[in-house]
Amino acid sequence: MTMIPMAVMVANKKSRCLRETAAEQKGLGLAEVPMEEADIIYLPDYSSLDFQQVLALLRAGKHVLFGAMGAADAGSLRTLAQTADEHGAVLLEHIHLGFNPCMAPLKTAVKCLGPIRRIRLHSCEYAFTCKGIRSAFVHAPARLLPGGALFQRGLDCIYPLVHLFGIPEHLDARMVFTENGMDAAGAVSGYLGAARVELVYSKISGSHVPSLIEGEKGSLLIRDIQNFREVTYFNRFAAEEPLVSFSDKACRSRELEQCMEYIEGKRDWRRHLATSFLVFQMMDEIRGCRNPDAGYRNPFQGSCASAI
């Protein structure tokens, strides 16, 4: 078997998991090497490479798997995708939900709920960097910085929402900012037809509230969307039925297997990025709610927020 050289940038938790999975699945033919020798570059959320450096990798024909901060907005992602297409490279957003084996049965199960009336998605986890919080009057920044709560925890909510239903209408966003302009938490609301959408995400608080998709015929419960491993169905009479459950190891293995299928040309990577485009478009709209120069409705100017 010909080994495919892969470089994993920045040894955070996600990259360590990918390294371990690649080592266990020797049938995938992956070998970790320095970046300059690699054909595949994996960039976790906290990669030190900027947009221009990622462009240079794609122009050199390197396949790139990037985390949530690989592109700052929909326009940046479109530029990266065009560059990859022009140079025979593969560009994939390596968000765990994009490859998660629970997503397909979840999409099927949604069709059994009847008319959807409410969608509540939660992703709150206290970040170790968010210490020494104090109150301060903070004006909303003109531009949200990458790496804040929207990019990290908000993505957990936005990805399954747009993948299953699309972008809601009448978006309204409320955010908590730090003194340096980083968003630390947020709540987004909107409508998908007659369905009310509520997203809650945070880096400065933890939460054990599950996510729910509620229809007239029943509800689907996701206990932990950050570590999406199971889906439970409740009918009108609150009878519980587990629909699907995967181990953490099985989910990681499937992520890497699917990545390799795209890189080997067995699947079209452009179709995989379709949901990613919707994610960034919705993020752009959410950020526009805080920026009066972005052309979106801005019902509130400045906010009393918690600052780090």
Side-chain angles (χ1 to χ4, degrees), residues 191-232:
Y191 287 90
L192 283 161
R196 172 74 170 173
V197 176
E198 301 170 6
L199 311 181
V200 178
Y201 57 91
S202 175
K203 290 178 64 177
I204 55 174
S205 63
S207 173
H208 302 287
V209 177
S211 297
L212 283 167
I213 302 173
E214 304 170 23
E216 291 188 359
K217 296 182 179 180
S219 301
L220 294 173
L221 181 145
I222 303 170
R223 300 190 188 280
D224 184 2
I225 205 166
Q226 300 169 48
N227 302 288
F228 189 20
R229 301 292 178 260
E230 61 181 51
V231 180
T232 303

Side-chain angles (χ1 to χ4, degrees), residues 253-265:
S253 298
R254 188 61 187 133
E255 288 175 21
L256 198 52
E257 288 170 3
Q258 286 193 34
C259 284
M260 294 307 299
E261 288 172 3
Y262 285 110
I263 289 170
E264 292 169 352

Side-chain angles (χ1 to χ4, degrees), residues 113-286:
L113 299 181
I116 304 299
R117 297 308 183 198
R118 196 175 190 186
I119 302 167
R120 295 183 286 176
L121 304 176
H122 297 256
S123 180
C124 302
E125 183 178 39
Y126 187 83
F128 68 92
T129 54
C130 295
K131 296 180 180 179
I133 298 173
R134 58 188 177 83
S135 296
F137 185 81
V138 181
H139 287 281
R143 180 178 181 273
L144 285 187
L145 301 174
L150 178 63
F151 275 86
Q152 294 182 354
R153 299 276 67 88
L155 186 71
D156 293 334
C157 304
I158 295 172
Y159 193 97
L161 176 70
V162 301
H163 181 73
L164 295 172
F165 304 105
I167 298 176
E169 300 174 342
H170 310 296
L171 285 177
D172 185 24
R174 306 276 169 167
M175 299 182 187
V176 173
F177 291 94
T178 66
E179 287 182 324
N180 66 356
M182 190 74 73
D183 61 309
V188 179
S189 61
Y191 287 90
L192 283 161
R196 172 74 170 173
V197 176
E198 301 170 6
L199 311 181
V200 178
Y201 57 91
S202 175
K203 290 178 64 177
I204 55 174
S205 63
S207 173
H208 302 287
V209 177
S211 297
L212 283 167
I213 302 173
E214 304 170 23
E216 291 188 359
K217 296 182 179 180
S219 301
L220 294 173
L221 181 145
I222 303 170
R223 300 190 188 280
D224 184 2
I225 205 166
Q226 300 169 48
N227 302 288
F228 189 20
R229 301 292 178 260
E230 61 181 51
V231 180
T232 303
Y233 171 73
F234 290 85
N235 65 17
R236 290 178 177 176
F237 310 102
E240 180 178 346
E241 178 186 349
L243 286 184
V244 63
S245 179
F246 289 90
S247 68
D248 182 67
K249 183 177 180 180
C251 288
R252 290 203 310 270
S253 298
R254 188 61 187 133
E255 288 175 21
L256 198 52
E257 288 170 3
Q258 286 193 34
C259 284
M260 294 307 299
E261 288 172 3
Y262 285 110
I263 289 170
E264 292 169 352
K266 297 176 181 177
R267 297 183 179 212
D268 187 351
W269 60 269
R270 301 164 193 82
R271 294 188 63 183
H272 170 77
L273 277 190
T275 297
S276 300
F277 277 114
L278 290 177
V279 168
F280 278 102
Q281 287 172 19
M282 183 169 170
M283 283 186 173
D284 290 345
E285 290 197 35
I286 291 171

